[in-house]
Amino acid sequence: MSSEYLDWTALASASESSADSLEGVLEVSPPAGASIAESLPEAEQRSLTDLLAMESVPDELKQLVNRQQALEQQLNELTGHTVAPDWNEQRFSMPQHTAESRLADKQKAQRHESYRSRVRRQISQKALSRLQLDRGMQEAELARQEKLKQKKRQALQWQHRLSQLEQDKRRVQRANAQMRVTERERQRAQNDLRQQLILKQALQRRQALIKAALLESHKRQRLEQACLAERQALQRWQVQRDRQLQAQAQSLLEARAAAKRQNDMLMEQQARAEAKREQRLAVLAQERQVERLEARRRLAQQEKKLFFS
């Protein structure tokens, strides 16, 4: 299928040959309402419609066909659907050329050449779309055949798989039956061992309980002795504490009495000092009063001397 895939370079020669063959037809304008699709036979149009109606046709192929129809419609619009002029009437005419007429002829030739190149491109596009359509149909047919082969292979594989599953199921059933028998024997042996182990554990638990009871009694005796010793030590501590509290109270009373005596002595000393200070202040006040009187007397005498002098 690799030889069926063509590109633009491979189609260049075919498009040029088809364009050259259609140049004579294009020089004569088609009648009004004509199209390239109408030139196709009815059998091909029916094949295209049947192809689009098929469910197995991929969407890409349908899009290509729709694109082809759109291009055909665009080509009809570009042709203009106008009646071609009668070239026989203009064949022997000898027009008088001017600069404007030559420019108009040149523009007309350029338009005609662009029209021809556009038609060539559209023809090549149409040929390419036809090739793509044929290739798509072939690919769809090959894909359908491949799907049928794949379905057959899958059916055979499923049959083979079912037979293998049936054999595996029987093998598993036999293995399960054998495993159930061995499991019953194993469980019976485990039950015997479990009963022996339970009896042994019960005997060990009873011996452990007896030992624990003996240890608990010895522990209780030691605790009672420890509690008695602790109670005696507490009583001794309380006696010592009472004695210490009495001694502290006695010393506190003595300290309070000494502090009271010291406070009384301090108060007495303060009272004596205060009395002495007051006496000293009184003596000082008297002395200052005497000094003021003496100063006033002297001042009066000086004034008298000054007045009589």
Side-chain angles (χ1 to χ4, degrees):
M1 294 178 64
S2 62
S3 62
E4 294 179 1
Y5 290 96
L6 301 176
D7 55 358
W8 287 101
T9 58
L11 292 172
S13 60
S15 62
E16 289 293 336
S17 60
S18 61
D20 293 336
S21 62
L22 290 173
E23 281 179 359
V25 179
L26 291 172
E27 287 177 358
V28 179
S29 298
S35 63
I36 295 176
E38 293 177 356
S39 63
L40 294 175
E42 295 181 357
E44 292 184 2
Q45 292 182 359
R46 285 198 301 272
S47 64
L48 288 175
T49 55
D50 295 338
L51 180 63
L52 291 174
M54 290 173 63
E55 295 181 355
S56 60
V57 176
D59 295 335
E60 295 180 357
L61 187 58
K62 293 180 180 180
Q63 291 177 1
L64 289 173
V65 174
N66 294 330
R67 180 63 178 169
Q68 179 186 0
Q69 293 177 358
L71 289 173
E72 289 177 356
Q73 185 178 0
Q74 187 177 2
L75 183 60
N76 292 331
E77 292 177 357
L78 291 173
T79 53
H81 301 297
T82 57
V83 179
D86 190 3
W87 294 101
N88 293 324
E89 296 179 357
Q90 300 178 2
R91 185 177 298 174
F92 300 103
S93 61
M94 298 296 292
Q96 296 295 327
H97 289 289
T98 60
E100 290 80 3
S101 62
R102 290 182 185 279
L103 182 60
D105 292 340
K106 186 176 181 181
Q107 292 177 355
K108 184 177 180 181
Q110 289 178 356
R111 285 196 299 270
H112 184 67
E113 185 64 28
S114 64
Y115 170 74
R116 290 179 64 184
S117 62
R118 186 167 59 251
V119 170
R120 289 194 193 96
R121 286 196 301 272
Q122 291 174 357
I123 289 170
S124 61
Q125 289 178 0
K126 183 179 178 182
L128 180 61
S129 63
R130 179 58 60 84
L131 288 174
Q132 289 177 352
L133 181 62
D134 295 338
R135 186 177 62 189
M137 292 177 65
Q138 291 176 2
E139 289 179 355
E141 183 64 24
L142 290 174
R144 188 179 65 81
Q145 293 178 2
E146 185 66 25
K147 285 182 180 178
L148 290 175
K149 291 180 182 179
Q150 189 175 2
K151 287 181 180 178
K152 290 180 180 179
R153 286 196 299 269
Q154 287 179 356
L156 292 173
Q157 289 177 0
W158 276 110
Q159 289 179 0
H160 183 65
R161 181 63 178 171
L162 287 174
S163 61
Q164 287 183 353
L165 288 173
E166 188 67 25
Q167 292 177 3
D168 294 339
K169 183 179 179 181
R170 293 174 183 172
R171 193 182 300 109
V172 169
Q173 287 177 355
R174 290 194 296 270
N176 289 334
Q178 186 68 27
M179 288 175 63
R180 283 195 293 271
V181 173
T182 54
E183 185 67 21
R184 290 196 193 96
E185 293 178 356
R186 188 177 63 81
Q187 287 180 359
R188 192 180 298 110
Q190 285 182 356
N191 290 330
D192 296 338
L193 290 173
R194 193 179 293 109
Q195 289 178 0
Q196 293 177 3
L197 184 62
I198 289 170
L199 292 173
K200 186 176 180 181
Q201 289 178 354
L203 181 61
Q204 291 177 357
R205 195 179 297 110
R206 184 177 179 184
Q207 292 176 358
L209 289 173
I210 292 170
K211 289 180 180 180
L214 291 173
L215 291 172
E216 187 67 25
S217 62
H218 291 315
K219 186 177 180 180
R220 191 180 297 109
Q221 290 177 1
R222 287 196 297 272
L223 286 174
E224 289 177 355
Q225 292 175 2
C227 289
L228 181 60
E230 188 176 358
R231 194 178 298 110
Q232 292 176 358
L234 183 61
Q235 289 177 359
R236 288 193 298 270
W237 179 77
Q238 286 179 354
V239 171
Q240 292 178 0
R241 185 170 175 274
D242 293 338
R243 290 176 181 174
Q244 290 177 0
L245 289 174
Q246 290 177 1
Q248 289 177 0
Q250 186 67 27
S251 62
L252 184 60
L253 290 173
E254 291 176 356
R256 286 179 179 177
K260 187 176 181 182
R261 287 194 298 272
Q262 188 175 3
N263 193 11
D264 293 339
M265 290 172 65
L266 288 173
M267 293 293 290
E268 186 177 356
Q269 289 177 1
Q270 288 178 358
R272 290 176 182 175
E274 187 68 24
K276 288 179 180 181
R277 188 173 65 83
E278 290 178 356
Q279 289 176 2
R280 194 178 297 111
L281 288 173
V283 171
L284 290 172
Q286 289 176 2
E287 289 177 355
R288 286 179 181 177
Q289 190 174 7
V290 171
E291 288 177 356
R292 287 194 199 100
L293 292 174
E294 186 67 25
R296 287 176 183 176
R297 193 179 300 113
R298 289 175 183 174
L299 184 61
Q301 289 177 1
Q302 290 176 2
E303 289 178 356
K304 286 178 180 181
K305 286 179 181 181
L306 291 171
F307 180 75
F308 289 108
S309 64

